[in-house]
Amino acid sequence: MARKANKAVLSPNVIMEELTGGWRAQTLSAAIELDVFSHIAAGKRTAKEVAGAAGASLRGMASLLDALVGLGHLRKTGARYSLQPVAAAFLVRSKKTYMGAAAESLSLTWDVWKHLAEAVRTGHPYEAVDVAKRGKEFFPKLVAGIFPGNFAASSAAVSSLPGKERREIHRILDVAAGSGAWSLAFAQAIPEARVTTVDFPEMTPITRGFAEKLGVAGRYEYHEGDLRQTDFGQDIYDLVILGHIIHSEGEKHGKELIRKSYAALRPGGMLLIAEFVPNDTRTAPSFPLLFGLNMLLQTEEGNVFTLREYRAWLKAAGFRKVKTVPVPAPSPLILATK
Ligand SMILES: C[S@@+](CC[C@H](N)C(=O)[O-])C[C@H]1O[C@@H](n2cnc3c(N)ncnc32)[C@H](O)[C@@H]1O
């Protein structure tokens, strides 16, 4: 967010707020770990009651609950706490939209972020997610953490498609499928759609687990292997999905993925790209720009790219129409037609 520098009211508060940003993240993560929001949803309302349910000290819980009020996640009336709407929707374990796993997956990045200055100095990752080794442990945790948000966004994308376009989707290729978050919403909404995934073999049981939960596992098949070595085929699919993979692959391999997706689509088929997209001048919003740093810290070539860049790459690959689809996610989705 742009901040107006007004000399009369210039205050260093904003610097302190930013420098304690990690405290906010830790406060929310601790509350998720202790299941504070679920206990409040279950009727525990005072610090003593919540502390009892969480097996925590009264001193600790009272401080934590007040901090959560300060951060806007809880409301306090006298000595009783209740949930604010976002916490009620996304932080209560029994909810389908529960986002607690995101806390665990994001905590996987904390150690690496301590080395940002070093990565900026060298231009190389402090600790690259070696997809052949560490990636195989890292990604299963990550994809479970990002499932609820991505599934909500893909469900919104499916609903936004005109019926005619939806009815033409029979074969789907979900590249770097992970949990399958992006294709599962299509498989659920289109009963005749069949999905092929491309990902490491370690991911297959995870994708299958999500597909089973949603009752569509019978229509999934799995291509196990390195996506850089995989030929996606020619003129086969009605929909190809590149969900959160170009940012870690970087420009060169990202363009190659777009080219292979184009070849694999039948004429009139669509490519769906889910990414974190900064504006064309790379000045906002802050989240995609911070994600660019996350890619610097963890990959050799990864980055975030603007819509102008995606349009140019898609046009160069042969796509004739490119549009964006607004969804409840940090950035709109990109939909290109062959
Ligand atoms: C950030 S996750 C995205 C998962 C899913 N598309 C989503 O958006 O929720 C990246 C996925 O790409 C897979 N992946 C990364 N590099 C790969 C490679 N070289 N070959 C195959 N899969 C790869 C990982 O295993 C992981 O499932």
Side-chain angles (χ1 to χ4, degrees), residues 40-70:
I40 295 175
K44 311 292 181 205
R45 289 298 162 89
T46 64
K48 194 170 172 204
E49 287 167 356
V50 181
S57 69
L58 176 57
R59 178 182 176 219
M61 188 54 75
S63 285
L64 180 62
L65 293 175
D66 287 343
L68 290 167
V69 174

Short mmCIF file of all heavy atoms in Angstrom, two decimals, residues 40-70:
data_model
loop_
_atom_site.label_atom_id
_atom_site.label_comp_id
_atom_site.label_asym_id
_atom_site.label_seq_id
_atom_site.Cartn_x
_atom_site.Cartn_y
_atom_site.Cartn_z
N ILE A 40 -13.12 -21.78 20.94
CA ILE A 40 -14.10 -20.69 21.10
C ILE A 40 -15.39 -21.04 20.35
O ILE A 40 -16.50 -20.87 20.87
CB ILE A 40 -13.51 -19.34 20.64
CG1 ILE A 40 -12.33 -18.97 21.56
CG2 ILE A 40 -14.57 -18.24 20.64
CD1 ILE A 40 -11.58 -17.72 21.15
N ALA A 41 -15.23 -21.60 19.14
CA ALA A 41 -16.43 -21.98 18.36
C ALA A 41 -17.23 -23.04 19.12
O ALA A 41 -18.46 -23.11 19.01
CB ALA A 41 -16.00 -22.52 16.99
N ALA A 42 -16.54 -23.87 19.92
CA ALA A 42 -17.23 -24.94 20.66
C ALA A 42 -17.84 -24.43 21.97
O ALA A 42 -18.37 -25.22 22.75
CB ALA A 42 -16.25 -26.08 20.94
N GLY A 43 -17.70 -23.12 22.23
CA GLY A 43 -18.40 -22.56 23.39
C GLY A 43 -17.51 -22.13 24.54
O GLY A 43 -18.00 -21.63 25.55
N LYS A 44 -16.20 -22.36 24.43
CA LYS A 44 -15.30 -21.87 25.49
C LYS A 44 -15.13 -20.37 25.25
O LYS A 44 -14.75 -19.97 24.15
CB LYS A 44 -13.93 -22.56 25.44
CG LYS A 44 -14.01 -24.07 25.35
CD LYS A 44 -14.55 -24.67 26.61
CE LYS A 44 -14.59 -26.20 26.49
NZ LYS A 44 -15.60 -26.81 27.37
N ARG A 45 -15.40 -19.55 26.25
CA ARG A 45 -15.43 -18.12 25.99
C ARG A 45 -14.45 -17.29 26.83
O ARG A 45 -13.98 -16.24 26.40
CB ARG A 45 -16.86 -17.56 26.22
CG ARG A 45 -17.83 -18.03 25.14
CD ARG A 45 -17.36 -17.49 23.79
NE ARG A 45 -17.95 -18.20 22.67
CZ ARG A 45 -19.10 -17.88 22.08
NH1 ARG A 45 -19.79 -16.88 22.55
NH2 ARG A 45 -19.53 -18.57 21.06
N THR A 46 -14.17 -17.73 28.06
CA THR A 46 -13.24 -16.95 28.88
C THR A 46 -11.82 -17.50 28.69
O THR A 46 -11.64 -18.63 28.21
CB THR A 46 -13.60 -17.06 30.38
OG1 THR A 46 -13.43 -18.43 30.76
CG2 THR A 46 -15.04 -16.62 30.64
N ALA A 47 -10.83 -16.69 29.10
CA ALA A 47 -9.44 -17.15 28.97
C ALA A 47 -9.24 -18.45 29.75
O ALA A 47 -8.54 -19.36 29.29
CB ALA A 47 -8.50 -16.05 29.48
N LYS A 48 -9.89 -18.55 30.90
CA LYS A 48 -9.73 -19.76 31.72
C LYS A 48 -10.30 -20.98 30.99
O LYS A 48 -9.67 -22.05 30.95
CB LYS A 48 -10.46 -19.56 33.05
CG LYS A 48 -10.10 -20.57 34.10
CD LYS A 48 -10.65 -20.20 35.45
CE LYS A 48 -10.40 -21.38 36.37
NZ LYS A 48 -11.32 -21.41 37.48
N GLU A 49 -11.47 -20.80 30.39
CA GLU A 49 -12.10 -21.93 29.67
C GLU A 49 -11.26 -22.35 28.45
O GLU A 49 -11.05 -23.54 28.20
CB GLU A 49 -13.51 -21.54 29.20
CG GLU A 49 -14.53 -21.46 30.32
CD GLU A 49 -15.83 -20.76 29.89
OE1 GLU A 49 -15.93 -20.27 28.73
OE2 GLU A 49 -16.74 -20.68 30.72
N VAL A 50 -10.79 -21.34 27.69
CA VAL A 50 -10.02 -21.68 26.49
C VAL A 50 -8.68 -22.31 26.90
O VAL A 50 -8.24 -23.29 26.29
CB VAL A 50 -9.80 -20.43 25.59
CG1 VAL A 50 -9.02 -20.81 24.33
CG2 VAL A 50 -11.12 -19.79 25.20
N ALA A 51 -8.06 -21.76 27.95
CA ALA A 51 -6.78 -22.32 28.41
C ALA A 51 -6.98 -23.78 28.84
O ALA A 51 -6.17 -24.66 28.50
CB ALA A 51 -6.23 -21.48 29.57
N GLY A 52 -8.08 -24.04 29.55
CA GLY A 52 -8.37 -25.41 30.01
C GLY A 52 -8.50 -26.35 28.82
O GLY A 52 -7.93 -27.44 28.78
N ALA A 53 -9.26 -25.92 27.80
CA ALA A 53 -9.49 -26.78 26.64
C ALA A 53 -8.21 -27.01 25.85
O ALA A 53 -8.02 -28.08 25.26
CB ALA A 53 -10.56 -26.15 25.75
N ALA A 54 -7.33 -25.99 25.83
CA ALA A 54 -6.11 -26.10 25.01
C ALA A 54 -4.96 -26.73 25.79
O ALA A 54 -3.89 -26.97 25.23
CB ALA A 54 -5.69 -24.71 24.52
N GLY A 55 -5.16 -26.98 27.09
CA GLY A 55 -4.07 -27.51 27.92
C GLY A 55 -2.96 -26.48 28.05
O GLY A 55 -1.77 -26.81 28.04
N ALA A 56 -3.35 -25.20 28.19
CA ALA A 56 -2.36 -24.12 28.25
C ALA A 56 -2.48 -23.38 29.58
O ALA A 56 -3.47 -23.53 30.31
CB ALA A 56 -2.60 -23.15 27.09
N SER A 57 -1.47 -22.55 29.88
CA SER A 57 -1.50 -21.77 31.11
C SER A 57 -2.49 -20.62 30.97
O SER A 57 -2.72 -20.12 29.86
CB SER A 57 -0.11 -21.19 31.39
OG SER A 57 0.18 -20.19 30.40
N LEU A 58 -3.07 -20.19 32.08
CA LEU A 58 -4.00 -19.06 32.04
C LEU A 58 -3.26 -17.79 31.65
O LEU A 58 -3.72 -16.99 30.84
CB LEU A 58 -4.68 -18.90 33.41
CG LEU A 58 -5.62 -17.70 33.52
CD1 LEU A 58 -6.72 -17.74 32.46
CD2 LEU A 58 -6.25 -17.65 34.92
N ARG A 59 -2.06 -17.60 32.21
CA ARG A 59 -1.28 -16.40 31.90
C ARG A 59 -1.01 -16.30 30.38
O ARG A 59 -1.22 -15.27 29.75
CB ARG A 59 0.04 -16.42 32.67
CG ARG A 59 0.90 -15.22 32.35
CD ARG A 59 2.24 -15.25 33.06
NE ARG A 59 3.02 -14.10 32.63
CZ ARG A 59 4.31 -14.09 32.39
NH1 ARG A 59 5.01 -15.20 32.57
NH2 ARG A 59 4.93 -13.00 32.01
N GLY A 60 -0.55 -17.42 29.83
CA GLY A 60 -0.21 -17.45 28.40
C GLY A 60 -1.44 -17.23 27.54
O GLY A 60 -1.44 -16.43 26.59
N MET A 61 -2.54 -17.93 27.88
CA MET A 61 -3.73 -17.85 27.02
C MET A 61 -4.35 -16.45 27.09
O MET A 61 -4.81 -15.93 26.07
CB MET A 61 -4.74 -18.93 27.43
CG MET A 61 -5.91 -19.04 26.48
SD MET A 61 -5.43 -19.29 24.73
CE MET A 61 -4.93 -21.02 24.74
N ALA A 62 -4.34 -15.85 28.28
CA ALA A 62 -4.94 -14.50 28.40
C ALA A 62 -4.18 -13.53 27.49
O ALA A 62 -4.79 -12.72 26.78
CB ALA A 62 -4.89 -14.03 29.86
N SER A 63 -2.85 -13.63 27.47
CA SER A 63 -2.06 -12.74 26.60
C SER A 63 -2.33 -13.03 25.14
O SER A 63 -2.47 -12.12 24.32
CB SER A 63 -0.55 -12.95 26.84
OG SER A 63 -0.19 -12.35 28.03
N LEU A 64 -2.40 -14.33 24.81
CA LEU A 64 -2.61 -14.70 23.41
C LEU A 64 -3.98 -14.21 22.92
O LEU A 64 -4.10 -13.63 21.84
CB LEU A 64 -2.50 -16.23 23.25
CG LEU A 64 -2.69 -16.77 21.84
CD1 LEU A 64 -1.62 -16.23 20.88
CD2 LEU A 64 -2.65 -18.31 21.83
N LEU A 65 -5.00 -14.41 23.73
CA LEU A 65 -6.36 -14.01 23.31
C LEU A 65 -6.44 -12.49 23.12
O LEU A 65 -7.02 -12.01 22.14
CB LEU A 65 -7.39 -14.49 24.33
CG LEU A 65 -7.57 -16.01 24.43
CD1 LEU A 65 -8.53 -16.37 25.56
CD2 LEU A 65 -8.08 -16.60 23.12
N ASP A 66 -5.83 -11.74 24.05
CA ASP A 66 -5.87 -10.27 23.89
C ASP A 66 -5.13 -9.85 22.62
O ASP A 66 -5.58 -8.95 21.90
CB ASP A 66 -5.26 -9.58 25.12
CG ASP A 66 -6.20 -9.65 26.33
OD1 ASP A 66 -7.40 -9.94 26.12
OD2 ASP A 66 -5.73 -9.42 27.46
N ALA A 67 -4.00 -10.49 22.35
CA ALA A 67 -3.26 -10.15 21.13
C ALA A 67 -4.09 -10.45 19.89
O ALA A 67 -4.11 -9.69 18.92
CB ALA A 67 -1.93 -10.90 21.09
N LEU A 68 -4.84 -11.56 19.94
CA LEU A 68 -5.68 -11.92 18.79
C LEU A 68 -6.82 -10.93 18.61
O LEU A 68 -7.26 -10.67 17.49
CB LEU A 68 -6.23 -13.34 18.97
CG LEU A 68 -5.18 -14.46 18.86
CD1 LEU A 68 -5.74 -15.79 19.37
CD2 LEU A 68 -4.71 -14.63 17.40
N VAL A 69 -7.28 -10.35 19.72
CA VAL A 69 -8.28 -9.27 19.62
C VAL A 69 -7.62 -8.08 18.93
O VAL A 69 -8.16 -7.50 17.98
CB VAL A 69 -8.81 -8.86 21.02
CG1 VAL A 69 -9.73 -7.64 20.90
CG2 VAL A 69 -9.55 -10.03 21.67
N GLY A 70 -6.42 -7.74 19.37
CA GLY A 70 -5.69 -6.61 18.78
C GLY A 70 -5.45 -6.80 17.29
O GLY A 70 -5.47 -5.83 16.52
#
